[in-house]
Amino acid sequence: MAESEGPSYIDFEAFLDPDFSPTAFANSLVIATNNPSDVPIDLKTPLSRVLFDIQEIDTHIDSLTTRSAIPLLTHTKNQANAGQHIVNEVEAQVASLSEGYQRLQKEVIQRHEEADEVRIAVERLWETVKVGRAVTRCLTLGRQLETQMAEVNGGGSGSTAKKEDHRSMTRASNTLLSIRGILTASGPGDEGEQLSKVDLITYLQNSVLTPSESSLRNRAQQIIREFSMSSLAPSSNAPSTYAQSEETKSRTTSAVLTLQLLNPQLLLAAFQAYLRTSLTSSLASIARALGNLTTLDRTLLEVSARCQNIVALEFLLCNIKPPRPTSSETIDDTEEESGNLLDPLLAALDTSSLPSFFWRSLAEGLAPKVVELMSRGGVSARALKTQRERVRESIRDCVLRGSQAPGSSKATGGWEREAAVMVGSVIGSLGR
């Protein structure tokens, strides 16, 4: 283009140079049109030069655009047509993709959403079925528990009256533990996970489970509290025949197993309360008898009877194995190792046998009573000193007689040491 128009005096390469500086170019024009020694600087000439160069460039641009208008327009049109063609192709592809997406949305996404709704409904139905099954099982066991409690308590009157069935106590305890096992299994995925939200289960707990557990506990504690096997002293609870003795053992066994199932600590507490009652009664009665020796023989006979009951209780516990609950609860490791219910009680009392514990505890409490009696003096103290040999033999016979099993004529094992301890607690405090 430059050759067809002829050479131009403008140095286009200088203007197109990347390092072109307007200030340096203006400075060169001023220096070229003025002498360095001139004080007034003439700017008209360089400014006219710049304006002339601008006009020359404008003329050159106008000539180029006028001559190249058709090629530029043609090129622009071709570019626009090519762009439109690309747009049309892209729109076709987009339409195809949109159609494919709609088809997939209808065939996959909508079906997936419907399937997900069905899945949620099925899961909720399954949870409902699980809760329904658990509620049904609890209600069935609750009805079974009510029947068993009716057997435990007896009921009716006249010809319809039913005798109390102590064996139902153990069955009722197992049923109660089964229900408790369901209710306590409330973790994620467990059978009783949602049962706490069911009003019927709350009603079952308040109206059946809690009263039944309290009734079983109280009944078992009462049976243990009234346990009596000795026939030495008259008692309303003491059996008079072999059948009654076996019935007493069986009833006590049921009570022991019931408390063991409900709460092993309650069982230990019941035994300790039984021993404590026997000790307290024996201590008080012997203390009174030592002050009135005419009642000593009868009192010592009653004490022997209490100890015989303890001997019978020890023998009974030795032959009772710890029950295995039907629920998921486990028994104590100590009881599993011992194989009976006597060893845990002996361990709790820190003794080797219950009769030995009875006599030694009685002797420990009796010594201060004798010292108090002797310190008061009087007829009772003088009579006790005078008849010390009779008292010695009576106490010794009491220990040996009380250490016999009920119905036996001879004490099993050596009880001379316990007899000596008892005799020493009384005679040792009399002085000379």
Side-chain angles (χ1 to χ4, degrees):
M1 293 181 183
E3 291 180 358
S4 60
E5 285 214 358
S8 175
Y9 70 91
I10 296 177
D11 187 5
F12 287 102
E13 292 184 0
F15 289 110
L16 298 176
D17 189 352
D19 297 330
F20 175 76
S21 173
T23 54
F25 179 73
N27 186 53
S28 63
L29 287 179
V30 171
I31 292 174
T33 57
N34 289 276
N35 290 324
S37 58
D38 292 341
V39 175
I41 298 176
D42 181 15
L43 297 179
K44 293 182 179 180
T45 302
L47 182 59
S48 299
R49 170 71 184 274
V50 171
L51 293 175
F52 186 78
D53 290 347
I54 291 172
Q55 185 177 3
E56 177 67 18
I57 292 172
D58 182 64
T59 301
H60 189 64
I61 291 173
D62 184 63
S63 299
L64 287 175
T65 54
T66 301
R67 188 171 59 253
S68 304
I70 294 176
L72 288 173
L73 292 175
T74 302
H75 178 72
T76 303
K77 181 180 179 181
N78 292 337
Q79 292 293 324
N81 291 336
Q84 187 62 41
H85 178 71
I86 292 173
V87 170
N88 293 336
E89 291 294 329
V90 170
E91 287 181 349
Q93 295 294 328
V94 170
S96 177
L97 290 173
S98 299
E99 182 181 356
Y101 175 78
Q102 292 176 356
R103 185 174 65 255
L104 289 174
Q105 185 180 28
K106 183 178 180 179
E107 295 179 355
V108 178
I109 297 178
Q110 292 181 358
R111 291 183 180 179
H112 175 268
E113 292 175 352
E114 294 173 357
D116 194 53
E117 292 178 356
V118 172
R119 178 187 62 80
I120 294 174
V122 170
E123 287 179 351
R124 291 176 179 176
L125 286 174
W126 171 241
E127 292 295 330
T128 304
V129 170
K130 284 174 59 179
V131 173
R133 286 178 178 176
V135 171
T136 301
R137 187 180 172 199
C138 286
L139 293 179
T140 302
L141 291 172
R143 181 57 182 166
Q144 179 178 327
L145 179 61
E146 287 181 327
T147 302
Q148 292 166 343
M149 290 303 299
E151 295 173 355
V152 170
N153 298 323
S157 60
S159 60
T160 61
K162 296 181 179 179
K163 184 181 179 181
E164 295 183 6
D165 183 6
H166 60 81
R167 295 175 182 82
S168 294
M169 294 174 61
T170 306
R171 294 194 292 269
S173 299
N174 275 312
T175 303
L176 185 62
L177 289 182
S178 297
I179 301 176
R180 294 292 188 197
I182 297 174
L183 297 179
T184 54
S186 57
D190 290 338
E191 188 176 10
E193 181 180 2
Q194 302 292 336
L195 290 183
S196 60
K197 303 177 183 178
V198 180
D199 293 340
L200 191 58
I201 296 300
T202 303
Y203 175 78
L204 178 67
Q205 288 180 297
N206 296 334
S207 63
V208 179
L209 301 187
T210 301
S212 297
E213 183 175 2
S214 177
S215 177
L216 287 172
R217 184 173 61 248
N218 294 336
R219 180 59 178 153
Q221 289 172 335
Q222 179 185 359
I223 292 174
I224 293 176
R225 188 166 56 248
E226 296 175 352
F227 176 76
S228 177
M229 292 289 293
S230 177
S231 59
L232 291 178
S235 171
S236 59
N237 299 323
S240 58
T241 64
Y242 175 79
Q244 290 177 342
S245 297
E246 293 301 312
E247 176 65 17
T248 300
K249 291 179 182 178
S250 180
R251 185 170 60 253
T252 306
T253 299
S254 297
V256 168
L257 293 176
T258 296
L259 282 181
Q260 176 66 19
L261 286 170
L262 295 179
N263 189 336
Q265 296 304 318
L266 285 178
L267 179 61
L268 289 177
F271 288 146
Q272 290 170 341
Y274 179 81
L275 293 172
R276 187 165 52 249
T277 301
S278 298
L279 283 169
T280 303
S281 301
S282 299
L283 182 60
S285 60
I286 292 177
R288 286 194 302 270
L290 290 177
N292 183 10
L293 293 180
T294 58
T295 62
L296 181 62
D297 291 339
R298 186 182 63 186
T299 299
L300 292 179
L301 190 64
E302 293 174 354
V303 173
S304 295
R306 293 191 186 101
C307 189
Q308 280 195 356
N309 291 333
I310 294 174
V311 172
L313 179 63
E314 182 178 62
F315 181 77
L316 187 65
L317 292 178
C318 188
N319 290 280
I320 299 178
K321 295 184 178 297
R324 294 186 177 274
T326 56
S327 66
S328 59
E329 298 182 16
T330 57
I331 59 178
D332 190 79
D333 294 338
T334 305
E335 294 160 8
E336 276 194 358
E337 293 174 0
S338 65
N340 61 53
L341 293 179
L342 176 61
D343 290 345
L345 177 58
L346 296 179
L349 298 175
D350 192 21
T351 185
S352 59
S353 72
L354 297 183
S356 176
F357 173 81
F358 175 78
W359 293 123
R360 290 179 181 274
S361 299
L362 185 59
E364 183 180 353
L366 194 56
K369 297 287 185 181
V370 177
V371 172
E372 181 182 355
L373 178 63
M374 297 305 295
S375 64
R376 290 200 303 264
V379 177
S380 299
R382 289 195 299 271
L384 189 57
K385 277 189 176 184
T386 303
Q387 303 184 44
R388 69 169 62 204
E389 291 303 321
R390 176 202 163 200
V391 172
R392 181 196 306 273
E393 291 302 320
S394 297
I395 292 177
R396 182 177 181 279
D397 291 342
C398 171
V399 174
L400 297 180
R401 183 172 56 240
S403 301
Q404 299 173 3
S408 175
S409 59
K410 185 178 180 180
T412 57
W415 299 102
E416 293 294 339
R417 185 171 299 177
E418 280 70 19
V421 171
M422 277 293 294
V423 170
S425 67
V426 177
I427 304 302
S429 302
L430 297 180
R432 295 184 179 180

